[in-house]
Amino acid sequence: MKRKTISWRAVSLWTGGSLVALAVCVGIFAPYLTPSDPLLINLDIRLSPPSLHYPLGTDQMGRCVLSRLIMGTRTSLFYSMLALGAALSISVPLGLLAGFAGGRTDRFIMRTIDMLLAFPSLILSIAITGLLGPSLANLLLAFVLVWWAGYARIVRGIVMQIKEKDFIMAARSSGGSPTQIVLRHILPNAARPMLVLASLEIGTIMLSISGLSFLGLGSQPPTPEWGVMLNDSRPYMQTIPRLMLYPGLAIMTVTIGFNLLGEGLRKRDRIET
């Protein structure tokens, strides 16, 4: 009797998917899950230890840490997905155009991408945010302006592989227009690799947004955001380390979840193809 073995791909896919689904549900229902008002200040109970009413204690302003952590899930996750979606809305059309059209169009787009990629993405994002002013909206704009270039290069490579397939040659021979070939054949076949890319990259974006918010360039107090919570609790790192531990664990858990999900999707896509 053969024993069934659980592959690492399945474990990675289901573990990552469960963590991501949990984070999304917490973000969606955050206002109904918070035990207290995450913005309510009560200096009389500042830095209180965990209790029945405040399961994770209170911060330096007397605010419920658990409530701010839950609301921070919505802020960190939503804006990371928004930044990724905006970057992909630029990179996918340009990558499709460069990979399928080729020639001068491809060279012009790729030289533009090469100029952007000549600068470190994170440093360029910091510079743009510094010029525009520290705020979450300006940070997201900086990410979109910088990070689309790397995604467009990857999409171009995917399209160049797909357009050499036999079914693309058959579509051209049957008189299909370039627009029809791209929309009906290339884009559907490129969707799966791009989904894997998005799953792998959203964790990196979340880490970057939280890191820059920690430096004061993203979300500003009193916004409940994980990077802001890390920055606010920095003076108490040695005396009350739990204030930094909670948002740090939240960032790590969600990032690992997206990375496991992306890795599981990547391995499944490789096996099926």
Side-chain angles (χ1 to χ4, degrees), residues 104-124:
R104 294 182 179 179
T105 303
D106 181 31
R107 288 194 294 271
F108 174 77
I109 295 175
M110 292 310 299
R111 296 299 79 76
T112 303
I113 291 174
D114 290 340
M115 286 190 295
L116 284 174
L117 294 180
F119 302 93
S121 299
L122 190 59
I123 302 300
L124 191 56

Side-chain angles (χ1 to χ4, degrees), residues 210-231:
S210 298
L212 294 182
S213 294
F214 173 78
L215 296 176
L217 295 174
S219 298
Q220 301 298 309
T223 304
E225 196 269 340
W226 293 338
V228 173
M229 293 178 67
L230 283 172
N231 188 32

Side-chain angles (χ1 to χ4, degrees), residues 12 15-16 19-20 203 250-262:
S12 175
T15 304
L19 291 175
V20 170
I251 295 171
M252 182 186 72
T253 302
V254 177
T255 302
I256 289 175
F258 276 108
N259 287 341
L260 288 175
L261 178 62

Side-chain angles (χ1 to χ4, degrees), residues 70-71 79 104 172 177 181 190 235 239:
I70 293 174
M71 287 301 295
Y79 284 106
R104 294 182 179 179
R172 284 176 171 171
S177 66
I181 294 174
T239 56

Side-chain angles (χ1 to χ4, degrees), residues 22-259:
L22 177 62
V24 171
C25 290
V26 171
I28 293 174
F29 299 105
Y32 307 100
L33 298 175
T34 52
S36 305
D37 185 352
L39 300 178
L40 181 62
I41 296 176
N42 187 354
L43 296 179
D44 293 334
I45 56 172
R46 64 188 299 268
L47 303 176
S48 297
S51 62
L52 184 62
H53 190 64
Y54 300 104
L56 298 182
T58 60
D59 63 4
Q60 72 281 359
M61 302 298 291
R63 297 169 297 197
C64 178
V65 174
L66 177 59
S67 299
R68 291 180 61 78
L69 201 66
I70 293 174
M71 287 301 295
T73 306
R74 167 177 285 192
T75 305
S76 301
L77 191 60
F78 173 75
Y79 284 106
S80 298
M81 289 183 172
L82 181 62
L84 178 63
L88 289 178
S89 68
I90 299 174
S91 61
V92 170
L94 290 178
L96 285 170
L97 180 61
F100 185 77
R104 294 182 179 179
T105 303
D106 181 31
R107 288 194 294 271
F108 174 77
I109 295 175
M110 292 310 299
R111 296 299 79 76
T112 303
I113 291 174
D114 290 340
M115 286 190 295
L116 284 174
L117 294 180
F119 302 93
S121 299
L122 190 59
I123 302 300
L124 191 56
S125 300
I126 293 175
I128 295 174
T129 308
L131 290 174
L132 297 176
S135 71
L136 186 56
N138 291 337
L139 177 60
L140 294 179
L141 178 61
F143 267 99
V144 174
L145 292 176
V146 173
W147 287 50
W148 70 267
Y151 302 148
R153 179 187 287 274
I154 296 174
V155 173
R156 170 184 176 269
I158 295 172
V159 172
M160 292 185 70
Q161 291 180 355
I162 295 175
K163 77 174 186 178
E164 300 300 328
K165 302 290 185 180
D166 293 338
F167 64 90
I168 299 296
M169 302 296 181
R172 284 176 171 171
S173 302
S174 61
S177 66
T179 303
Q180 291 176 334
I181 294 174
V182 170
L183 295 180
R184 294 182 181 179
H185 302 285
I186 292 182
L187 188 58
N189 284 277
R192 286 172 58 183
M194 287 189 289
L195 178 62
V196 174
L197 171 66
S199 301
L200 291 171
E201 288 295 323
I202 194 168
T204 303
I205 292 177
M206 182 178 294
L207 274 176
S208 301
I209 290 178
S210 298
L212 294 182
S213 294
F214 173 78
L215 296 176
L217 295 174
S219 298
Q220 301 298 309
T223 304
E225 196 269 340
W226 293 338
V228 173
M229 293 178 67
L230 283 172
N231 188 32
D232 289 343
S233 58
R234 183 166 44 87
Y236 308 94
M237 180 174 59
Q238 295 182 348
T239 56
I240 313 178
R242 60 179 171 82
L243 294 179
M244 294 194 75
L245 178 64
Y246 299 139
L249 286 176
I251 295 171
M252 182 186 72
T253 302
V254 177
T255 302
I256 289 175
F258 276 108
N259 287 341

